[in-house]
Amino acid sequence: MKLPNQLDHFIANQYPIVRFMDDSIFLINTKEEGKIILNHYQKLAEKLGIIMNLKKTKIIRIEKFILFCKWNYVVLNSGKVLMIPVRDTIYRQRTKINKMKQKNIDKIEILQTKTCFQSYLDLGNTYYHQKYLNQLLSK
């Protein structure tokens, strides 16, 4: 089993990286820079014995957002990257908590569900979602 640790360090020292399992996103300023980095990345991967699927490898421009692992990644004009959860995820959790309340499920179990979802929300820029979640639970 080949581990991409060296690949991660190669990119993370230069650019922001988001990684989940074998999928990655690198935020790079220009397309030309992306091609250069991809070329270096590919050579390092080959040296480590890691095979990249070039059919799935893309250099794209972020115009509005990128959807990756149930998060929308938005790059602001200032260069700051926001992670906003997908609307379906918020809706699903809200529905789940409301159903638990209707079925009079133990408050400890509802609190555990809320805590798990709170941990998920803590990964991104979710101030308003967390505020809404707290309002939902205080009813």
Side-chain angles (χ1 to χ4, degrees):
M1 181 169 142
K2 304 290 182 186
L3 298 177
N5 192 30
Q6 283 182 301
L7 287 171
D8 288 345
H9 288 291
F10 167 73
I11 289 294
N13 291 336
Q14 301 174 46
Y15 301 99
I17 180 174
V18 178
R19 184 171 199 41
F20 179 75
M21 305 286 278
D22 62 343
D23 295 327
S24 304
I25 292 179
F26 314 130
L27 300 175
I28 297 170
N29 296 322
T30 64
K31 191 171 187 171
E32 292 75 29
E33 196 176 5
K35 289 178 182 179
I36 292 167
I37 293 297
L38 180 59
N39 190 20
H40 289 299
Y41 193 82
Q42 217 174 333
K43 286 178 183 175
L44 184 58
E46 285 175 16
K47 196 159 80 173
L48 295 171
I50 297 172
I51 301 167
M52 289 179 55
N53 187 342
L54 297 177
K55 291 179 183 176
K56 294 182 179 181
T57 304
K58 300 177 194 173
I59 298 174
I60 61 171
R61 180 178 176 178
I62 302 176
E63 292 186 22
K64 293 184 180 176
F65 64 89
I66 291 178
L67 177 64
F68 181 71
C69 294
K70 300 285 184 177
W71 287 91
N72 289 314
Y73 291 84
V74 180
V75 179
L76 303 178
N77 291 338
S78 65
K80 182 176 180 180
V81 179
L82 298 181
M83 282 177 59
I84 303 167
V86 173
R87 196 175 273 158
D88 290 349
T89 304
I90 302 296
Y91 177 78
R92 189 173 45 254
Q93 278 305 120
R94 184 180 72 206
T95 303
K96 181 178 182 175
I97 291 171
N98 281 334
K99 283 182 180 178
M100 290 173 84
K101 284 181 172 182
Q102 288 172 358
K103 293 180 180 179
N104 292 325
I105 292 181
D106 188 30
K107 288 189 182 220
I108 293 173
E109 207 170 319
I110 294 173
L111 187 62
Q112 285 175 340
T113 302
K114 183 246 180 197
T115 304
C116 289
F117 191 56
Q118 187 80 40
S119 296
Y120 168 79
L121 290 176
D122 285 343
L123 295 173
N125 305 81
T126 56
Y127 172 78
Y128 293 105
H129 295 90
Q130 291 182 22
K131 188 175 173 184
Y132 177 76
L133 181 64
N134 289 331
Q135 287 175 353
L136 179 67
L137 290 171
S138 65
K139 292 178 184 178

